[in-house]
């Protein structure tokens, strides 16, 4: 019995999708994770509308990044696949993309507001505000909708010169979050951190409607002690 | 030992009622599910005041849609039965009806507000605002109360020409949600989605009291990619 | 080996106290249940500061209602015992008293507001607003504090001529809820319903700061279909 | 095979760290507990970035209070270690220090507000408002950041003459809570109580934006019935 050359990729993808459920980030079938194999030029992604409980590696679909063609898999890929593909093409450091409808992050997306960096929990993961896109136009929605969803995300990061490796998350206006990271595990962790940060920020504004983001000094300190060349959090070589 | 000719119907009804508890949609004995067998002209429904933990198919009561007469079952049917019956009579596509007191949907009902379609999570399930009924009159309350509850729901949909197949949920003023769908599983799924959407919409308004519903284009896109002839979500033939 | 003549009472009390934890109504050791045996003129109550996980019937303390003297039990009774005793003396229909610091009910108590009857979930359990006491005076606090806590509750019900059998709950100002019922199981159920109702009412006001209580007709309908001579909810003879 | 002379200390520290997760006070790896052995002049603390699920006593790092030197342990200690050390040096009664990013306590820290004593749940644990520090300066952040975090906490207590044995918690501005107590178990219990109190206080202000702290009489009554020479809560000699 032959195995797929993408077996490990599909397992990583399957586990990350199931982890979304374990962490309480998705209800019903509202979320999905893709994982890229940059060398092979492909990514693995959840099939559309399959319950997390029954999801197995053999259900995972493998898609070519450049062409969007299905390379492996009998099921139809997630309807959000073109958004994942667009992000993997634009954000070279992203090794995985996560989409959820986690509740408090969605509230910010529906309110049309980016999440300010109100504290160190946020700064430990995102180097500044998590931005919200503009609403999509009827033409974009009526066209290649999921691909265009990726486009408005990329536009948002390019226009404001936000580094997607430093702010690995976005809120799509009236929709919800997309999050990415160097690996599936990291992308899922950031998606979880985003939901926590979104919840805390709602409560912060309730207590202080004029709450301000933390200082640049504190933002730098917390982000950089966990990320980049001067990081000193975690164990040496543990690859935070 | 003879079995009921409605054995499968009663099992589906029992499972759906227990699923309400698993999903956290009901506390104590506040909710119930009915499931119709249109060919037989009957529906199965939870008995009144029985705990979900001990509910078994043989407890389920079978009622004639047209007459309201009990066809099978030793226990008294749920006190909400006439509301279920009224909805099954008026909404021909409904194969099942769910009533819960899920907390955030109740908050909207108690506030006397319909839930605006603030995002795609909502649009994936409900084709526009989930409406709230008018308050019931003392005469309606003092009369056949549960039947009249059904009447104000039907009135609300007819007056505003809302298609109950496209907006399969309503909030009864000062009371809570009724939800329906083509099957028991789908009706329970919509009841769950309603609670999620209700929670997200509360948080949305907290962040942006002037939040607007999503555009008609985005509403159409999301509802129609999951429902109707042009749907492309899920697996072909999976009957979303 | 001899058993206590209050063995069943102590078991009922122990189980009800543990149920508080199962229902999520108490954190740490913040709550307690007492159960009366009116014929014997005693009540059983949780010992002070004992964890729910290790609580066993033999830990339960039995106290004489009239005198407050300990009849049975090696441990010190809950510090809230005099409040329970005062309520059992004043409210003849109460067979059990529950005290918790359940979070949303406490919020109303801390805000100094009674919980309006915004919907049928509330009306199914409480026949109108759940009242809040006045703040206690320094003299009351410095005196027999726990006994005086009972006094301000009784004063509140007498002054407004509220029937404690119809509104089996109160919020002590700046403190939290006391709830009672004909049995330990019912009192715990009402304590659970109170927390749910408190949560829903907070969200209701968030959506509609001018929200009004439901009509007298709807309040009567829901309370009386579950309580009293004309009740038709549940199974006949099931003793709701 | 030789065992560490700090084996019991490391076990207490390990258990308390894992308890943070059980109580829902930490997500990902956002929290840590340290436990002092005053006679030996050391404290045990969680290593940096290690998951609670896999944390074992042998991972715990032992550090000298006075010098900050690692006495035992192969892993790098938590990056928050200098804050713990600063607090253990300044607060002589503290036998353990807990740091979490528990969500509602963080909201207060991010809002830059101390938590008023709105009720008896608060007064049972903290003798008055739980204070918030001033924001740290860029010089403090750019210097020995974690040590300086301890300094602003100590400064806050000294400036307002707050007794850290009576108010065993603080909110670091834009960051989150630090909590301490005579033992690891007590410090964790206070961290849990803080989160509960933070949640209740948010809801209290939502219901009554002008809510006032409880009276001095009620604060004294509740704090002193659980703490100090005149305590009468719990069982005699149980060491509350």
């Amino acid at each position: 019995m032959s195995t797929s050359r993408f077996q490990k990729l599909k397992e990583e993808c399957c586990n990350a999708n199931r982890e979304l459920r374990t962490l309480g980030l998705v209800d019903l079938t509202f979320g999905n994770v893709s994982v890229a194999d940059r060398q092979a030029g492909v990514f693995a992604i959840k099939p559309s509308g399959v319950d997390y409980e029954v999801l197995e590696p053999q259900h995972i679909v493998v898609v070519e990044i450049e062409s969007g063609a299905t390379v492996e898999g009998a099921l139809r890929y997630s309807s959000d696949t073109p958004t994942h593909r667009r992000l993997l093409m634009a954000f070279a450091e992203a090794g995985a993309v996560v989409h959820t409808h986690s509740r408090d992050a969605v509230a910010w997306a529906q309110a049309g507001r980016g999440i300010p960096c109100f504290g160190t929990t946020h700064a430990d993961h995102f180097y500044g505000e998590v931005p919200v896109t503009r609403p999509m136009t009827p033409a974009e929605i009526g066209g290649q909708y999921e691909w265009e969803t990726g486009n408005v995300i990329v536009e948002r990061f390019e226009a404001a010169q936000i580094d997607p490796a430093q702010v690995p998350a976005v809120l799509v206006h009236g929709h919800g979050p997309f999050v990415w990271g160097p690996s599936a595990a990291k992308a899922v962790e950031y998606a979880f951190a985003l939901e926590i940060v979104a919840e805390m920020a709602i409560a912060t504004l309730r207590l202080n409607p004029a709450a301000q983001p933390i200082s640049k000094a504190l933002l730098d300190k917390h982000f950089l002690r966990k990320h980049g060349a001067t990081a000193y959090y975690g164990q040496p070589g543990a690859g935070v």
Side-chain angles (χ1 to χ4, degrees), chain A residues 158-195:
Chain A
E158 289 181 349
Q161 292 185 287
I162 304 166
D163 180 350
Q166 295 193 313
V167 181
V170 73
L171 305 169
V172 176
H173 197 289
H175 188 154
F178 281 84
V179 184
W180 49 90
S183 64
K186 271 292 154 189
V188 170
E189 180 188 322
Y190 294 158
F192 186 47
L194 180 67
E195 180 63 9

Side-chain angles (χ1 to χ4, degrees), chain A residues 6-24:
Chain A
F6 302 119
Q7 187 61 24
K8 282 198 63 169
L9 189 70
K10 287 157 74 173
E11 284 171 8
E12 185 182 358
C13 181
C14 181
N15 290 341
N17 274 287
R18 297 184 72 142
E19 181 73 2
L20 290 188
R21 187 56 158 269
T22 307
L23 290 171

Side-chain angles (χ1 to χ4, degrees), chain A residues 64-198:
Chain A
E64 207 171 55
I65 297 179
E66 198 57 36
S67 69
T70 297
V71 174
E72 203 177 289
L75 295 173
R76 187 191 275 180
Y77 50 58
S78 164
S79 57
D80 295 313
T81 299
T83 314
H84 289 253
R85 187 162 77 88
R86 184 70 189 89
L87 297 183
L88 290 171
M89 289 174 75
F91 300 161
E93 300 93 337
V97 175
V98 175
H99 174 49
T100 80
H101 286 211
S102 70
R103 301 186 190 187
D104 287 317
V106 165
W108 286 90
Q110 294 189 160
R113 296 179 64 169
I115 308 176
C117 182
F118 283 138
T120 60
T121 320
H122 185 123
D124 283 336
H125 297 90
F126 308 105
Y127 195 39
E129 181 187 83
V130 174
V132 66
T133 69
R134 62 169 171 79
M136 295 174 70
T137 65
E140 288 165 343
I141 295 165
Q144 299 299 314
Y145 170 63
E146 290 84 2
W147 178 259
E148 297 289 355
T149 300
N151 277 337
V152 296
I153 295 171
V154 174
E155 173 195 310
R156 181 70 180 83
F157 276 68
E158 289 181 349
Q161 292 185 287
I162 304 166
D163 180 350
Q166 295 193 313
V167 181
V170 73
L171 305 169
V172 176
H173 197 289
H175 188 154
F178 281 84
V179 184
W180 49 90
S183 64
K186 271 292 154 189
V188 170
E189 180 188 322
Y190 294 158
F192 186 47
L194 180 67
E195 180 63 9
I196 294 167
V197 156

